Amino acid sequence: MATKTEPVAIWDWPVRVVHWSFVLILPAMWLTAENSAWGWHMRLGHVLLGLVIFRLLWGFLGTDTARFATFVKGPKHLLAYFKGDHDHQREIGHNPLGALAVLGLLTLPLVQIVMGLFAGDPYDGATGPLNSLVSVGTADALTETHEWFVYVVFAMIGLHIAAVAIYAGALMQNLVGAMVTGKGEKAAGTKGNSAPSTGRFLIALTIAVALPLWIYAGAPPLT
């Protein structure tokens, strides 16, 4: 007998906004770099930095499924997941494998962004706002790494997309739909996600806006 299901709240709207913003901004940053539109490239980089900062803070201040403590577990949980010790119909949020994807999709872009902040040449119009804090040799090394590391980021994104497709085809889980609407079909009686706190959201948003703006301005008085 098929399990009776009902729509259950899974993802809060801040998580969904960040997720789909990544989908738009990452390709846009690649295009602006390929077309030497450095002004837009750097502006988008700071927007992306703000999104990463927000998501990291939301991992501590956000709803149940947004918090790292809820889904970032040790190797034992990952092994149990691969052995089938889980119930897709009653679990909400990231599974142990999805947790690895989240960490990768936050860490790799952050590394790429930080390199960009210090990278550049004062004469080519693409100098990061923190370039003056490092030596010319360090800036050159960061610039070279920044240029090819983007493909590491895109490789991680490719793995994520492949995993989503596998879950849709093999396990009949509509992960994309849940990230659009915030809800997914789960076994009847499954407890849904908690509601976001306005106060905590404003704290995370304030920091996520203020810090990139400060860096964009050259991080005075550091520079």
Side-chain angles (χ1 to χ4, degrees):
M1 182 180 294
T3 303
K4 183 179 179 180
T5 64
E6 61 186 12
V8 173
I10 299 177
W11 305 115
D12 58 56
W13 68 265
V15 165
R16 288 180 281 140
V17 168
V18 170
H19 179 276
W20 294 115
S21 296
F22 267 55
V23 172
L24 296 175
I25 292 177
L26 285 169
M29 291 200 65
W30 180 80
L31 287 172
T32 53
E34 289 295 302
N35 291 280
S36 300
W38 300 120
W40 279 109
H41 184 75
M42 289 187 283
R43 292 186 196 101
L44 288 173
H46 284 78
V47 173
L48 186 60
L49 175 60
L51 290 169
V52 173
I53 291 172
F54 177 86
R55 184 61 185 91
L56 291 173
L57 291 171
W58 201 239
F60 298 96
L61 302 175
T63 57
D64 292 342
T65 57
R67 293 178 188 171
F68 297 127
T70 302
F71 61 86
V72 178
K73 307 294 183 179
K76 181 176 67 174
H77 292 271
L78 183 61
L79 182 61
Y81 178 78
F82 281 123
K83 290 181 177 179
D85 185 15
H86 56 273
D87 184 356
H88 291 299
Q89 291 295 329
R90 296 189 180 278
E91 295 174 345
I92 66 170
H94 295 294
N95 58 50
L97 190 59
L100 295 180
V102 172
L103 295 179
L105 290 169
L106 289 176
T107 302
L108 295 182
L110 180 59
V111 171
Q112 178 73 344
I113 293 165
V114 171
M115 287 192 291
L117 296 177
F118 292 94
D121 185 325
Y123 303 102
D124 70 2
T127 302
L130 305 183
N131 175 265
S132 63
L133 296 176
V134 298
S135 67
V136 173
T138 299
D140 288 343
L142 290 173
T143 301
E144 292 178 5
T145 306
H146 184 73
E147 290 175 353
W148 62 259
F149 193 79
V150 64
Y151 297 106
V152 177
V153 177
F154 283 142
M156 182 67 215
I157 294 172
L159 288 174
H160 175 61
I161 294 173
V164 170
I166 291 172
Y167 272 82
L171 300 176
M172 302 300 292
Q173 291 192 53
N174 185 7
L175 302 183
V176 174
M179 190 56 70
V180 171
T181 66
K183 295 183 178 182
E185 288 291 326
K186 295 293 178 180
T190 300
K191 181 182 178 181
N193 189 24
S194 59
S197 163
T198 301
R200 292 181 177 182
F201 169 77
L202 291 176
I203 291 172
L205 180 64
T206 299
I207 297 173
V209 171
L211 187 54
L213 284 176
W214 175 63
I215 293 174
Y216 187 75
L222 299 180
T223 55

